[in-house]
Amino acid sequence: MFNKNEEVKKYWKKSNTYSTLGYISLLGEGVGAFWLASKLNTDNLNETIAPLYVTLGFATIALIFMHSANKNAKKAILNYNKQFDNRTSFKLVPTSNHNGVGLALKF
């Protein structure tokens, strides 16, 4: 449905790209956390600095990409929904039955 509108398609594609990069960064964060966990039992604390920075760096990058993906997905959805702003989703129709005459909302 998003392919019909070029602006929506652009935002949605950008969202998918950022989401993929975010998941790759999360994978890097997991690898860094595993590396950090393997170095925590060493006596030399200097060996834990590099894995700590790798883990925190990938976590920061993943956070930035995931935020951008969510922001672009939101823009795509809001842009898509903008086309329905001038339409009503219900009608007021007159009706009658054995109870009498009245108005009904038809969705």
Side-chain angles (χ1 to χ4, degrees):
M1 293 182 342
F2 285 170
N3 289 333
K4 294 176 185 174
N5 187 332
E6 287 301 317
E7 189 176 7
V8 172
K9 183 179 175 181
K10 179 185 74 166
Y11 284 130
W12 194 253
K13 186 175 179 182
K14 213 185 265 190
S15 171
N16 286 337
T17 302
Y18 287 149
S19 180
T20 301
L21 291 172
Y23 285 127
I24 291 170
S25 298
L26 280 175
L27 180 66
E29 178 189 1
V31 170
F34 184 75
W35 183 27
L36 178 63
S38 69
K39 293 291 183 179
L40 283 178
N41 291 332
T42 62
D43 293 332
N44 188 1
L45 290 178
N46 290 334
E47 291 181 12
T48 61
I49 291 175
L52 178 66
Y53 285 146
V54 167
T55 304
L56 292 176
F58 274 116
T60 304
I61 292 169
L63 183 68
I64 291 168
F65 278 131
M66 295 305 254
H67 176 71
S68 295
N70 287 337
K71 188 170 68 172
N72 280 304
K74 183 178 178 181
K75 282 181 184 179
I77 292 169
L78 289 175
N79 234 339
Y80 178 77
N81 287 341
K82 200 182 296 184
Q83 68 184 341
F84 301 113
D85 284 349
N86 296 330
R87 295 188 207 169
T88 58
S89 60
F90 62 90
K91 288 192 252 180
L92 199 57
V93 280
T95 185
S96 65
N97 59 18
H98 65 280
N99 292 326
V101 177
L103 294 174
L105 289 176
K106 186 175 183 180
F107 294 93

